[in-house]
């Protein structure tokens, strides 16, 4: 029976939370493991240390370690495999048929030359209209960018994106000269959760001008939000001319019983 009593480990620089109180061992283990996962140090499929190894490392009870790992399972960052241990999960999109695609790769898969043009880029405070799209307080700052993607010189997609500068502070200085915002984010920030919403809309004036189509033309809109842990990272609205894009999914029936 595990009888160890938890105790706070002293360091030269104590770990504090946002209220300035020392972190409990449970919080410290949670933060350490989550940090290694989100930084990419422990990639998807990596087996994290066994519970008894973490118990020895942090000199705490097994119950404390179990509590931290259970929270990571709830957050979708790790999965437990019976008799095998706990492993970093592969990112899972909430929609059953969608993945996070790079628009550049979408175009290249068609055998067409890809290019993009950044139309607008500005740093600003969160406004009331942004809160639903990116769950941030109105005191937060974000980067607001719009750009167009081209396939063979023809408008392919119109992108409107908000990036949380709290989650991605380096985005404030990024000019997106070498890569479009989406491609840059995929290579820069590990994400843990994503949400897609897909709708058919009539092109408004801004989208119509960007895509060189008539106002009111049928378009396919994909709205996506991503998080890193619990922190919102970005909200993007991708508008495609309805006659130039389709969504395809392959699936099989679930086993019965």
């Amino acid at each position: 029976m595990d009888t160890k009593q938890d105790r706070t480990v002293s360091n030269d620089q104590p770990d504090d939370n946002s209220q300035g109180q020392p972190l409990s061992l449970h919080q410290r283990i949670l933060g350490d493991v989550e940090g290694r996962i989100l930084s990419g140090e422990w990639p998807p499929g990596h087996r994290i240390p066994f519970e008894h190894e973490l118990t020895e490392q942090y000199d705490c009870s097994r119950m404390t370690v179990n509590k931290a790992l259970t929270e990571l399972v709830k957050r979708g960052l790790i999965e437990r495999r019976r008799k095998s241990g706990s492993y970093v999960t592969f990112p899972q999109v909430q929609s059953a048929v969608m993945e996070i695609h790079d628009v550049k790769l979408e175009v290249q898969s068609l055998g067409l030359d890809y290019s993009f043009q950044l139309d607008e880029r500005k740093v600003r405070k969160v406004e009331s209209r942004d809160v639903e799209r990116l769950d941030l307080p109105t005191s937060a700052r974000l980067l607001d960018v719009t750009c167009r993607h081209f396939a063979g010189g023809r408008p392919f997609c119109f992108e409107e994106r908000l990036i949380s500068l709290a989650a991605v502070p380096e985005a404030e200085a990024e000019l997106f000269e070498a890569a479009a915002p989406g491609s840059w984010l995929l290579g820069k920030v590990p994400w843990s959760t994503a949400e897609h919403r897909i709708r058919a809309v009539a092109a408004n004036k801004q989208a119509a001008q960007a895509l060189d189509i008539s106002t009111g033309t049928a378009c396919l809109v994909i709205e996506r939000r991503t998080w890193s842990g619990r922190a919102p990272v970005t909200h993007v609205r991708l508008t495609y001319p309805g006659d130039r894009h389709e969504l395809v999914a392959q699936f099989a029936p679930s086993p019965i019983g």
Side-chain angles (χ1 to χ4, degrees):
M1 180 176 178
D2 191 349
T3 59
K4 284 188 179 181
Q5 298 296 315
D6 297 345
R7 59 182 177 84
T8 301
V9 178
S10 297
N11 293 315
D12 292 336
Q13 296 295 329
D15 292 321
D16 292 340
N17 61 19
S18 59
Q19 282 73 43
Q21 299 298 319
L23 291 173
S24 67
L25 272 175
H26 154 252
Q27 292 171 320
R28 183 178 175 188
I29 296 168
L30 182 63
D32 287 351
V33 175
E34 183 178 47
R36 287 182 169 88
I37 294 172
L38 297 182
S39 70
E41 180 182 345
W42 289 353
H46 176 84
R47 183 184 66 77
I48 70 173
F50 288 112
E51 285 191 12
H52 70 84
E53 294 174 323
L54 291 172
T55 295
E56 294 175 2
Q57 178 182 343
Y58 288 92
D59 192 18
C60 66
S61 71
R62 197 156 184 169
M63 182 181 296
T64 296
V65 171
N66 184 272
K67 181 180 178 182
L69 297 185
T70 298
E71 178 63 26
L72 290 167
V73 171
K74 291 179 179 178
R75 296 185 186 184
L77 295 178
I78 68 171
E79 62 176 345
R80 284 169 162 165
R81 301 177 189 172
R82 189 176 181 184
K83 297 183 179 181
S84 178
S86 299
Y87 293 80
V88 179
T89 58
F90 287 83
Q92 295 293 319
V93 181
Q94 291 181 351
S95 170
V97 298
M98 290 295 296
E99 297 177 359
I100 291 187
H101 292 292
D102 187 335
V103 177
K104 179 179 179 179
L105 297 181
E106 288 182 346
V107 172
Q108 291 177 336
S109 71
L110 300 173
L112 299 173
D113 291 333
Y114 168 81
S115 62
F116 78 95
Q117 179 176 318
L118 189 68
D119 292 328
E120 188 174 11
R121 177 192 181 282
K122 60 183 177 182
V123 175
R124 61 178 177 82
K125 289 270 187 79
V126 171
E127 299 173 359
S128 57
R129 61 189 173 94
D130 303 317
V131 175
E132 184 177 349
R133 294 185 291 173
L134 203 59
D135 187 17
L136 293 170
T138 53
S139 59
R141 298 167 67 246
L142 54 78
L143 181 64
D144 186 343
V145 294
T146 59
C147 67
R148 286 175 289 166
H149 302 267
F150 296 86
R154 186 183 187 189
F156 179 77
C157 174
F158 177 50
E159 175 177 336
E160 303 166 88
R161 183 181 294 271
L162 303 177
I163 302 173
S164 166
L165 292 178
V168 198
E170 56 269 45
E172 184 166 1
E174 178 59 43
L175 299 180
F176 304 112
E177 295 176 339
S183 300
W184 182 84
L185 279 171
L186 283 173
K188 199 76 174 178
V189 184
W191 58 275
S192 57
T193 312
E195 173 190 86
H196 280 98
R197 294 181 183 275
I198 305 167
R199 294 182 293 125
V201 303
N204 59 25
K205 183 177 180 179
Q206 183 183 22
Q209 290 178 342
L211 296 170
D212 194 21
I213 57 179
S214 301
T215 301
T217 298
C219 290
L220 178 70
V221 168
I222 299 175
E223 288 192 72
R224 180 168 65 239
R225 295 191 293 171
T226 58
W227 293 261
S228 182
R230 294 184 176 181
V233 174
T234 187
H235 173 279
V236 63
R237 176 184 169 99
L238 301 170
T239 303
Y240 298 85
D243 62 347
R244 302 179 205 170
H245 197 79
E246 63 180 3
L247 297 175
V248 178
Q250 293 183 340
F251 53 93
S254 301
I256 299 175

